[in-house]
PDB file of all heavy atoms in Angstrom:
ATOM      1  N   CYS A  21     127.668  86.160 135.184  1.00 90.00           N
ATOM      2  CA  CYS A  21     126.314  85.619 135.041  1.00 90.00           C
ATOM      3  C   CYS A  21     126.089  85.115 133.620  1.00 90.00           C
ATOM      4  O   CYS A  21     125.508  84.056 133.404  1.00 90.00           O
ATOM      5  CB  CYS A  21     125.263  86.694 135.367  1.00 90.00           C
ATOM      6  SG  CYS A  21     125.127  87.067 137.118  1.00 90.00           S
ATOM      7  N   ALA A  22     126.559  85.891 132.661  1.00 91.00           N
ATOM      8  CA  ALA A  22     126.302  85.552 131.269  1.00 91.00           C
ATOM      9  C   ALA A  22     127.037  84.275 130.860  1.00 91.00           C
ATOM     10  O   ALA A  22     126.534  83.489 130.059  1.00 91.00           O
ATOM     11  CB  ALA A  22     126.718  86.711 130.365  1.00 91.00           C
ATOM     12  N   LEU A  23     128.224  84.066 131.418  1.00 90.00           N
ATOM     13  CA  LEU A  23     129.070  82.962 130.929  1.00 90.00           C
ATOM     14  C   LEU A  23     129.078  81.737 131.833  1.00 90.00           C
ATOM     15  O   LEU A  23     129.699  80.722 131.494  1.00 90.00           O
ATOM     16  CB  LEU A  23     130.513  83.471 130.742  1.00 90.00           C
ATOM     17  CG  LEU A  23     130.658  84.595 129.716  1.00 90.00           C
ATOM     18  CD1 LEU A  23     132.072  85.120 129.682  1.00 90.00           C
ATOM     19  CD2 LEU A  23     130.229  84.090 128.331  1.00 90.00           C
ATOM     20  N   MET A  24     128.403  81.829 132.991  1.00 90.00           N
ATOM     21  CA  MET A  24     128.503  80.743 133.968  1.00 90.00           C
ATOM     22  C   MET A  24     128.171  79.358 133.416  1.00 90.00           C
ATOM     23  O   MET A  24     128.844  78.384 133.745  1.00 90.00           O
ATOM     24  CB  MET A  24     127.636  81.076 135.190  1.00 90.00           C
ATOM     25  CG  MET A  24     127.824  80.143 136.386  1.00 90.00           C
ATOM     26  SD  MET A  24     129.540  79.742 136.772  1.00 90.00           S
ATOM     27  CE  MET A  24     130.167  81.320 137.330  1.00 90.00           C
ATOM     28  N   PRO A  25     127.152  79.202 132.524  1.00 89.00           N
ATOM     29  CA  PRO A  25     126.866  77.859 132.017  1.00 89.00           C
ATOM     30  C   PRO A  25     128.067  77.254 131.282  1.00 89.00           C
ATOM     31  O   PRO A  25     128.114  76.045 131.081  1.00 89.00           O
ATOM     32  CB  PRO A  25     125.693  78.088 131.062  1.00 89.00           C
ATOM     33  CG  PRO A  25     125.054  79.322 131.541  1.00 89.00           C
ATOM     34  CD  PRO A  25     126.166  80.184 132.071  1.00 89.00           C
ATOM     35  N   PHE A  26     129.015  78.092 130.845  1.00 90.00           N
ATOM     36  CA  PHE A  26     130.207  77.563 130.177  1.00 90.00           C
ATOM     37  C   PHE A  26     131.377  77.479 131.143  1.00 90.00           C
ATOM     38  O   PHE A  26     132.217  76.593 131.044  1.00 90.00           O
ATOM     39  CB  PHE A  26     130.567  78.439 128.975  1.00 90.00           C
ATOM     40  CG  PHE A  26     129.401  78.585 128.036  1.00 90.00           C
ATOM     41  CD1 PHE A  26     128.625  79.733 128.030  1.00 90.00           C
ATOM     42  CD2 PHE A  26     129.076  77.536 127.173  1.00 90.00           C
ATOM     43  CE1 PHE A  26     127.537  79.847 127.178  1.00 90.00           C
ATOM     44  CE2 PHE A  26     127.989  77.642 126.321  1.00 90.00           C
ATOM     45  CZ  PHE A  26     127.220  78.791 126.321  1.00 90.00           C
ATOM     46  N   ILE A  27     131.455  78.414 132.102  1.00 90.00           N
ATOM     47  CA  ILE A  27     132.558  78.399 133.068  1.00 90.00           C
ATOM     48  C   ILE A  27     132.429  77.203 134.003  1.00 90.00           C
ATOM     49  O   ILE A  27     133.392  76.492 134.267  1.00 90.00           O
ATOM     50  CB  ILE A  27     132.581  79.711 133.898  1.00 90.00           C
ATOM     51  CG1 ILE A  27     132.788  80.907 132.970  1.00 90.00           C
ATOM     52  CG2 ILE A  27     133.678  79.661 134.942  1.00 90.00           C
ATOM     53  CD1 ILE A  27     132.658  82.249 133.671  1.00 90.00           C
ATOM     54  N   ALA A  28     131.203  76.990 134.502  1.00 88.00           N
ATOM     55  CA  ALA A  28     131.004  75.963 135.524  1.00 88.00           C
ATOM     56  C   ALA A  28     131.480  74.572 135.087  1.00 88.00           C
ATOM     57  O   ALA A  28     132.250  73.936 135.810  1.00 88.00           O
ATOM     58  CB  ALA A  28     129.539  75.938 135.964  1.00 88.00           C
ATOM     59  N   PRO A  29     131.047  74.074 133.891  1.00 87.00           N
ATOM     60  CA  PRO A  29     131.538  72.753 133.495  1.00 87.00           C
ATOM     61  C   PRO A  29     133.051  72.743 133.281  1.00 87.00           C
ATOM     62  O   PRO A  29     133.717  71.756 133.584  1.00 87.00           O
ATOM     63  CB  PRO A  29     130.816  72.476 132.171  1.00 87.00           C
ATOM     64  CG  PRO A  29     129.770  73.511 132.051  1.00 87.00           C
ATOM     65  CD  PRO A  29     130.120  74.647 132.936  1.00 87.00           C
ATOM     66  N   ALA A  30     133.574  73.877 132.824  1.00 89.00           N
ATOM     67  CA  ALA A  30     135.008  73.946 132.525  1.00 89.00           C
ATOM     68  C   ALA A  30     135.841  73.785 133.791  1.00 89.00           C
ATOM     69  O   ALA A  30     136.927  73.213 133.764  1.00 89.00           O
ATOM     70  CB  ALA A  30     135.336  75.278 131.835  1.00 89.00           C
ATOM     71  N   ILE A  31     135.347  74.324 134.916  1.00 89.00           N
ATOM     72  CA  ILE A  31     136.110  74.172 136.152  1.00 89.00           C
ATOM     73  C   ILE A  31     135.577  73.000 136.976  1.00 89.00           C
ATOM     74  O   ILE A  31     135.936  72.819 138.127  1.00 89.00           O
ATOM     75  CB  ILE A  31     136.091  75.468 137.003  1.00 89.00           C
ATOM     76  CG1 ILE A  31     134.646  75.902 137.294  1.00 89.00           C
ATOM     77  CG2 ILE A  31     136.837  76.588 136.308  1.00 89.00           C
ATOM     78  CD1 ILE A  31     134.547  77.066 138.252  1.00 89.00           C
ATOM     79  N   GLY A  32     134.708  72.208 136.352  1.00 85.00           N
ATOM     80  CA  GLY A  32     134.237  70.985 137.013  1.00 85.00           C
ATOM     81  C   GLY A  32     133.327  71.230 138.203  1.00 85.00           C
ATOM     82  O   GLY A  32     133.252  70.419 139.100  1.00 85.00           O
TER      83      GLY A  32
END
Side-chain angles (χ1 to χ4, degrees):
Chain A
C21 287
L23 298 175
M24 190 44 68
F26 305 101
I27 299 173
I31 56 173

